[in-house]
Amino acid sequence: MQTDTVVYIIISGLLALVLALFQYIFKSKKTTKIYWFLAFLRFVSIFSVLLLLINPKFDKMSFYDEKPNLIIAVDNSESISYLEQSDNTTRLIENIKQNEQLNDNFNLKFYTFGKSINSTDSLAFNDKQSNIALLFDRLSEVYNNSISPTLLITDGNQTYGYDYEFMTNRYKQAIFPVILGDTTTYTDIKIQQLNVNRYAYLKNKFPVEIIATYNGNIAVDTQLKITSGNTTVYSKPLNFSKSQSSQIVNLNLPANRVGVGSYRAEIIPLNNEKNTVNNVKNFAVEVIDQKTNVAIVSDIMHPDLGALKKSIESNEQRNAEILNSVNFLKQSNDFQLVIAYQPTNNFRSLFNEIDRLKLNKIVIAGTKTNWTLLNQLQSNYSQEVTNQTENFQPSANQNYSTFIVDDLNFEAFPPLQSEFGETKFTVPFETLLFKTINGTQIEEPLLSTFEINDRREALLLGEGIWRWRAQSYLDEKSFNTFDNFIGKLVQYLSSKQRRSRLNINYESFYNGNDNVKITAQYFNKNYEFDANANINIILSNKDTDKTITYPFVLKNANYQVDLSGLEAGEYTFTVKTSDGTISKSGELKILEYNVEQQFLNANVAKLESLASKSNGKAYFIDNTDSMISDLLSDSRFATIQKSSKKVVPLIDWKYLLALIALSLAMEWFIRKYNGLI
């Protein structure tokens, strides 16, 4: 309490005392007990009211016990059941939940992980992949500011993601791995890795790299075979020993037929080999008969150019080359699409050449664009020339019907900079992205597409698209979503297909552990997105003739169906609306491969290293009693008594109000009873 407040309280007490004595003792000239008692009551009333006016504040201390958290993270991937550890894991979870001492000393928090993280203790051991690094990444967001030792119940085999061994730099908790599996070493040969491009070009050869590894002590001989259907397309003998435990095989296979070609790489198993699943890997290559060449033409240097080139070339079917306007004229016949970046005074000949060759193009305008010239070079649109710039943020048009646009969270992207002023179109166009200024969307296009005289064009009114690619990486930890967006724009502009009311987006083939998702967009007769449509996909397995129908589910501005549970095989499909008036068909192939069945043992070394780096300890599943005992006796995880100080103003003390009411009531009653009123 401050000194000033104490002084005010003392003054209030003296003032209350003087007033009470003046009224009942000095003024009445009587000193009986009743008058002294009435003076006391009046003193209490006046002093209490003055205290409320001063309203001093007091510190209120409270004490409570805070138990540490105990995080139990359980591997829910298929490898656990494949290593025959699912029953042991289930029993361990039940023992932890029923252990009274653990419940008394910890707040138990259960999570399961595979490809994603779930806050639950329900186990099915059916996840196709496991990402342990993602688990620590998510837990660090919640528990880094608390005491939360972590039980990691897993075999330690991660199929994708960052190396979890080094996640202790971010996750600041003691980790206690419970190792599922054993350390027995089995003789085993496997295809450790197979590298191949997704696409190849007709009448060329495509490279294949196979890394084969051997785990054993004696020299063995086997054979590598690659087959396509019933035909063996490659064969090579392999020799392994304890000193030569791996081999890299590089080969080239011919691409003689357009379409998806499926292949099977197999190392002939040894007689005593326990796991033969990892001896085989299926792969596929899509053979195409042409490659799209894109010219990125600019007379200025800008980071947008590199971002566009990287995005375009992320798809092996496309090649991008950065040229100035003079060099483009020397090789203009080599390209199917031109990106004219910020046209300047030298672009007159470029536009004439594009018109002569009837090439499709993308025009990207920015702060260096010569709009006076650009307005003269074409008649499809015109820009008001103000010689002022403005920052425009993107806003997606949900009714864009030309091709499927993935949800990139455009509204959170950095703004692009371009000429301030109205852009007027003289031809029909579709807006893919609207301009947004200071959070307000205006009905002007930032990115638009249009078709005129059998040619397709796009206009982007802003420079700085490299920031979009960078933001996409920050959001997704990958450039894929942004690169796919640019890829679809390039694909549309380099294609001659007519616009359709039903658009489908899918891959020709999927690996067994991939997410098999197909997206679709459906538009009404006015080419406005229809969010109330009923769309189904009818799948037919070519080998079994089994037919399955799945409904599409609306998600943002797309319809989506998840086919990840399908068994491997070749499928034909038809996507159609409920009334059957519009439909599209296609084919896809799902390759047989289960990455979770590639492991024979738990990754003991990595789990022990993880425990050591985090100041924890590793345990095998058969030794969990000592684990529980160690957790309970570890002084780092003791229950802590904490105090909480709360500043409480006197006006919140209800008893003081009751005291004022009581003293006033008693004073009135005594005065009334003794005839003093």
Side-chain angles (χ1 to χ4, degrees):
M1 190 181 302
Q2 295 181 351
T3 304
D4 293 347
T5 304
V6 175
V7 172
Y8 290 145
I9 292 174
I10 295 173
I11 294 173
S12 299
L14 293 174
L15 180 61
L17 181 61
V18 170
L19 291 174
L21 292 176
F22 175 79
Q23 182 171 358
Y24 283 107
I25 304 300
F26 179 78
K27 189 176 178 182
S28 66
K29 306 297 183 180
K30 295 180 181 180
T31 58
T32 62
K33 291 182 179 180
I34 293 177
Y35 279 87
W36 279 107
F37 187 62
L38 289 171
F40 171 74
L41 292 175
R42 178 57 57 92
F43 166 77
V44 170
S45 300
I46 296 174
F47 183 58
S48 299
V49 171
L50 292 175
L51 281 179
L52 287 178
L53 293 175
I54 297 171
N55 193 26
K57 295 177 174 60
F58 301 91
D59 292 338
K60 181 181 180 182
M61 299 293 294
S62 60
F63 298 90
Y64 62 95
D65 292 334
E66 182 177 88
K67 295 192 294 185
N69 300 307
L70 180 61
I71 312 301
I72 300 99
V74 190
D75 193 336
N76 198 36
S77 63
E78 286 186 343
S79 64
I80 304 303
S81 57
Y82 185 69
L83 293 176
E84 300 178 351
Q85 295 295 326
S86 54
D87 291 339
N88 290 336
T89 304
T90 303
R91 282 195 297 269
L92 174 59
I93 297 302
E94 288 301 318
N95 290 338
I96 291 174
K97 287 194 291 185
Q98 295 174 9
N99 190 291
E100 293 183 2
Q101 287 183 296
L102 283 178
N103 283 275
D104 290 340
N105 287 271
F106 296 95
N107 297 314
L108 303 185
K109 308 288 184 181
F110 289 90
Y111 293 87
T112 62
F113 66 91
K115 192 169 185 177
S116 59
I117 314 301
N118 298 295
S119 178
T120 178
D121 58 1
S122 177
L123 296 169
F125 305 109
N126 58 0
D127 277 14
K128 300 294 184 182
Q129 293 192 2
S130 53
N131 188 349
I132 303 176
L134 179 64
L135 170 72
F136 293 132
D137 187 53
R138 295 291 182 267
L139 292 180
S140 65
E141 298 173 359
V142 181
Y143 297 106
N144 258 8
N145 294 323
S146 62
I147 300 175
S148 304
T150 302
L151 296 184
L152 179 66
I153 305 173
T154 180
D155 58 8
N157 294 314
Q158 178 171 284
T159 58
Y160 83 112
Y162 298 110
D163 192 338
Y164 67 85
E165 184 179 353
F166 303 100
M167 291 301 291
T168 53
N169 296 329
R170 179 168 184 180
Y171 187 57
K172 306 298 183 182
Q173 303 292 345
I175 301 171
F176 297 85
V178 178
I179 302 172
L180 303 175
D182 56 42
T183 58
T184 306
T185 301
Y186 300 97
T187 300
D188 185 52
I189 290 180
K190 69 176 179 179
I191 298 177
Q192 181 72 33
Q193 190 168 333
L194 189 150
N195 300 318
V196 64
N197 294 331
R198 190 177 183 91
Y199 302 98
Y201 300 99
L202 187 63
K203 298 181 181 179
N204 285 344
K205 290 189 175 183
F206 59 91
V208 181
E209 181 182 63
I210 297 173
I211 302 174
T213 60
Y214 168 66
N215 186 17
N217 297 318
I218 61 174
V220 295
D221 300 323
T222 184
Q223 188 178 32
L224 169 68
K225 291 199 308 180
I226 298 179
T227 58
S228 178
N230 296 322
T231 304
T232 300
V233 296
Y234 182 84
S235 178
K236 181 182 179 179
L238 298 179
N239 310 107
F240 295 97
S241 64
K242 186 175 182 180
S243 58
Q244 186 181 356
S245 59
S246 65
Q247 287 194 39
I248 299 177
V249 180
N250 291 290
L251 60 126
N252 293 289
L253 297 178
N256 297 325
R257 182 172 59 86
V258 173
V260 178
S262 297
Y263 299 87
R264 175 186 172 94
E266 179 182 11
I267 298 177
I268 304 302
L270 304 176
N271 293 330
N272 58 342
E273 204 168 346
K274 181 180 179 181
N275 183 6
T276 59
V277 174
N278 58 16
N279 291 50
V280 178
K281 277 199 176 180
N282 296 288
F283 66 98
V285 175
E286 185 173 0
V287 179
I288 54 180
D289 61 357
Q290 62 179 353
K291 188 171 187 175
T292 302
N293 292 313
V294 181
I296 305 173
V297 185
S298 176
D299 285 340
I300 64 172
M301 299 298 293
H302 198 282
D304 282 355
L305 304 177
L308 289 168
K309 180 176 172 64
K310 287 287 187 181
S311 294
I312 293 169
E313 292 186 341
S314 64
N315 189 318
E316 297 169 15
Q317 299 180 65
R318 304 185 184 102
N319 177 66
E321 190 170 347
I322 300 175
L323 304 166
N324 59 34
S325 57
V326 176
N327 290 334
F328 170 78
L329 297 175
K330 298 176 182 178
Q331 45 186 313
S332 57
N333 290 315
D334 297 338
F335 301 101
Q336 290 79 49
L337 177 66
V338 179
I339 299 178
Y341 187 82
Q342 300 213 44
T344 56
N345 294 331
N346 300 328
F347 272 59
R348 188 180 298 274
S349 299
L350 171 77
F351 273 67
N352 291 336
E353 182 70 2
I354 291 174
D355 291 338
R356 185 183 71 84
L357 296 174
K358 296 183 178 180
L359 296 175
N360 295 342
K361 66 176 180 287
I362 304 174
V363 175
I364 301 178
T367 58
K368 302 291 192 303
T369 302
N370 186 339
W371 271 108
T372 302
L373 176 65
L374 186 55
N375 287 338
Q376 297 174 1
L377 293 178
Q378 50 74 44
S379 58
N380 299 324
Y381 50 84
S382 63
Q383 170 70 41
E384 179 185 359
V385 179
T386 62
N387 295 321
Q388 298 180 32
T389 59
E390 179 64 82
N391 291 325
F392 301 107
Q393 281 193 285
S395 177
N397 178 13
Q398 304 298 334
N399 289 321
Y400 183 76
S401 62
T402 304
F403 56 87
I404 295 177
V405 180
D406 296 328
D407 182 17
L408 266 68
N409 193 20
F410 287 104
E411 288 75 8
F413 278 13
L416 303 184
Q417 194 173 32
S418 187
E419 184 85 8
F420 174 76
E422 185 180 4
T423 307
K424 295 182 179 180
F425 280 81
T426 59
V427 296
F429 69 97
E430 277 203 87
T431 300
L432 199 159
L433 298 174
F434 286 107
K435 291 178 179 178
T436 299
I437 302 176
N438 297 326
T440 302
Q441 178 181 303
I442 60 176
E443 295 302 315
E444 290 186 19
L446 179 66
L447 175 59
S448 55
T449 59
F450 56 91
E451 298 183 33
I452 186 73
N453 297 329
D454 295 326
R455 292 170 59 187
R456 294 178 173 178
E457 293 190 29
L459 175 64
L460 174 61
L461 296 168
E463 66 176 76
I465 199 171
W466 68 271
R467 294 189 180 91
W468 289 8
R469 191 168 191 260
Q471 185 65 48
S472 175
Y473 183 84
L474 291 175
D475 294 341
E476 304 282 343
K477 299 295 187 293
S478 169
F479 295 114
N480 290 343
T481 52
F482 177 81
D483 292 346
N484 289 339
F485 168 69
I486 295 297
K488 288 180 181 180
L489 181 62
V490 170
Q491 181 181 8
Y492 161 70
L493 292 169
S494 57
S495 172
K496 300 297 183 183
Q497 293 181 353
R498 297 184 61 186
R499 186 169 66 169
S500 171
R501 287 175 56 192
L502 179 62
N503 297 322
I504 307 172
N505 184 34
Y506 68 99
E507 300 286 347
S508 299
F509 65 91
Y510 298 87
N511 292 314
N513 282 70
D514 289 347
N515 287 328
V516 184
K517 292 183 179 179
I518 297 178
T519 55
Q521 278 185 323
Y522 178 70
F523 303 91
N524 60 26
K525 294 181 180 180
N526 296 324
Y527 286 95
E528 296 172 335
F529 180 74
D530 189 345
N532 298 313
N534 292 319
I535 305 176
N536 297 309
I537 181 170
I538 303 169
L539 283 151
S540 178
N541 189 308
K542 286 186 176 181
D543 298 327
T544 63
D545 291 330
K546 183 179 178 181
T547 300
I548 312 173
T549 301
Y550 293 97
F552 278 82
V553 177
L554 181 65
K555 185 177 181 181
N556 299 324
N558 296 328
Y559 289 94
Q560 187 179 100
V561 62
D562 190 344
L563 307 176
S564 300
L566 285 178
E567 54 187 44
E570 295 186 40
Y571 293 85
T572 59
F573 67 85
T574 300
V575 177
K576 63 181 181 180
T577 57
S578 57
D579 56 11
T581 56
I582 298 177
S583 64
K584 278 194 173 182
S585 300
E587 295 185 1
L588 61 86
K589 183 177 294 186
I590 300 176
L591 304 179
E592 184 177 359
Y593 180 65
N594 190 325
V595 69
E596 291 291 336
Q597 294 183 4
Q598 303 300 305
F599 306 105
L600 279 169
N601 305 97
N603 197 334
V604 177
K606 182 168 285 191
L607 289 174
E608 289 180 339
S609 175
L610 176 69
S612 176
K613 289 179 180 178
S614 66
N615 296 317
K617 184 178 178 182
Y619 302 86
F620 285 93
I621 185 68
D622 298 329
N623 194 27
T624 53
D625 290 339
S626 62
M627 174 198 70
I628 294 175
S629 176
D630 291 345
L631 284 172
L632 293 172
S633 61
D634 197 321
S635 59
R636 293 177 295 172
F637 313 134
T639 299
I640 300 173
Q641 187 181 68
K642 291 189 174 183
S643 61
S644 174
K645 184 173 74 173
K646 184 178 180 182
V647 178
V648 181
L650 186 65
I651 199 170
D652 290 343
W653 197 46
K654 299 177 182 178
Y655 296 108
L656 185 60
L657 296 175
L659 179 62
I660 294 172
L662 179 62
S663 63
L664 291 174
M666 289 179 64
E667 182 184 353
W668 178 87
F669 178 78
I670 293 172
R671 285 167 59 90
K672 185 74 172 176
Y673 183 80
N674 290 279
L676 299 177
I677 299 178

